[in-house]
Amino acid sequence: MNPPLITGGQTAEVRELPPPRRDRVKAHKWLTERCLEEHLDREREGFELYISKIAEEKMRNHALQHLNERKEVMGLLLGGFYQHEGREYALVRDVATTDLDATDVSVRFDPDAFEKLFASLEEIGFKYVIVGWYHSHPSYHCFMSSTDVQTQRGMFNLRCHSAIVIDPVNKEIEAFFLDEGKVRSRPFGIYWDEYQNPYYGTSVRMRQTAVPPKAPDVPQ
Ligand SMILES: [Zn+2]
């Protein structure tokens, strides 16, 4: 079984690819006023982080599913690092998670559930690296706690790595990264593009099977 591809150390493979088109990128609806301002400032020159609609929905739904029990959730961001015309950026194309050991103020992967996580990573149908992680803060807003910063330093210490924090109670989301050891907020865009959707073919098939059965013929 292959271990997950965490890009630690000082380098990350950066491939050439144009970023998602501007007309296919929008602001997340849970951005705070400050983050929305940063988003709009950044929009013209392009983002360092783009999150696919699919990945965004999975993270948000994961956080919302555990909202009533006020439990934190977490998972890994799967995608890649790219460059185009002198700009570098990361794409999050999907997310992965497993059973969690969580309270209202802490979360980690259940140590007995790593095999399940590795198995689900093996089923990912596209080439990826882990470009960061996400977790939730049910009701206490988006920031990086000292434990979160430790995790970031230990596992995602490159500038291009991101940490996404979601507060499903206050409906807030923010991305962070380490800039020479200091935590900074990172504006990001949500993109949708069927040609970059790794599950394009699958979703078409699913839509076809979802057609309701025909009503019985009524005699004329
Ligand atoms: Zn946290």
Side-chain angles (χ1 to χ4, degrees):
M1 191 174 287
N2 297 324
L5 310 165
I6 294 181
T7 311
Q10 297 308 306
T11 55
E13 190 197 346
V14 178
R15 288 186 285 155
E16 171 66 32
L17 183 78
R21 276 170 30 196
R22 266 178 63 186
D23 61 345
R24 295 289 184 119
V25 176
K26 62 178 180 184
H28 195 286
K29 57 186 173 184
W30 285 7
L31 291 185
T32 59
E33 215 168 293
R34 172 180 55 80
C35 290
L36 183 61
E37 264 174 43
E38 285 171 1
H39 174 100
L40 296 173
D41 277 352
R42 188 80 204 185
E43 206 170 34
R44 247 168 293 124
E45 40 183 315
F47 295 97
E48 290 176 332
L49 175 65
Y50 294 90
I51 301 169
S52 75
K53 193 82 198 79
I54 290 178
E56 182 279 319
E57 275 172 8
K58 283 190 187 176
M59 287 188 282
R60 186 159 40 90
N61 288 335
H62 193 196
L64 285 169
Q65 273 160 17
H66 298 271
L67 177 141
N68 289 340
E69 33 179 346
R70 288 285 197 274
K71 274 193 179 166
E72 289 197 10
V73 302
M74 72 176 285
L76 300 171
L77 309 177
L78 314 180
F81 300 114
Y82 302 94
Q83 62 178 0
H84 187 67
E85 295 177 348
R87 275 201 323 107
E88 293 198 355
Y89 64 94
L91 284 185
V92 176
R93 300 172 71 193
D94 200 356
V95 296
T97 187
T98 186
D99 300 336
L100 301 171
D101 179 7
T103 69
D104 56 339
V105 291
S106 74
V107 64
R108 61 172 188 161
F109 289 133
D110 181 334
D112 296 329
F114 274 95
E115 212 159 295
K116 200 167 153 187
L117 176 66
F118 293 168
S120 66
L121 287 172
E122 286 211 334
E123 279 168 23
I124 299 292
F126 59 94
K127 208 179 154 207
Y128 69 90
V129 291
I130 295 173
V131 299
W133 63 301
Y134 72 89
H135 77 288
S136 66
H137 283 179
S139 82
Y140 52 97
H141 303 286
C142 301
F143 63 94
M144 291 287 275
S145 72
S146 54
T147 316
D148 299 338
V149 175
Q150 260 177 31
T151 303
Q152 194 74 4
R153 289 209 174 111
M155 309 258 302
F156 306 105
N157 57 345
L158 299 181
R159 195 185 190 282
C160 54
H161 284 142
S162 297
I164 294 170
V165 184
I166 304 166
D167 178 347
V169 177
N170 294 300
K171 293 191 166 36
E172 290 173 3
I173 187 167
E174 188 162 356
F176 301 92
F177 70 104
L178 287 181
D179 184 10
E180 295 180 353
K182 290 216 175 67
V183 176
R184 283 182 53 191
S185 181
R186 168 170 274 159
F188 63 92
I190 303 299
Y191 75 95
W192 67 101
D193 183 340
E194 57 271 31
Y195 300 108
Q196 289 194 36
N197 175 352
Y199 304 110
Y200 183 50
T202 322
S203 61
V204 169
R205 279 200 297 278
M206 277 166 61
R207 263 200 298 275
Q208 282 171 347
T209 56
V211 172
K214 261 178 84 177
D217 287 337
V218 180
Q220 300 290 314

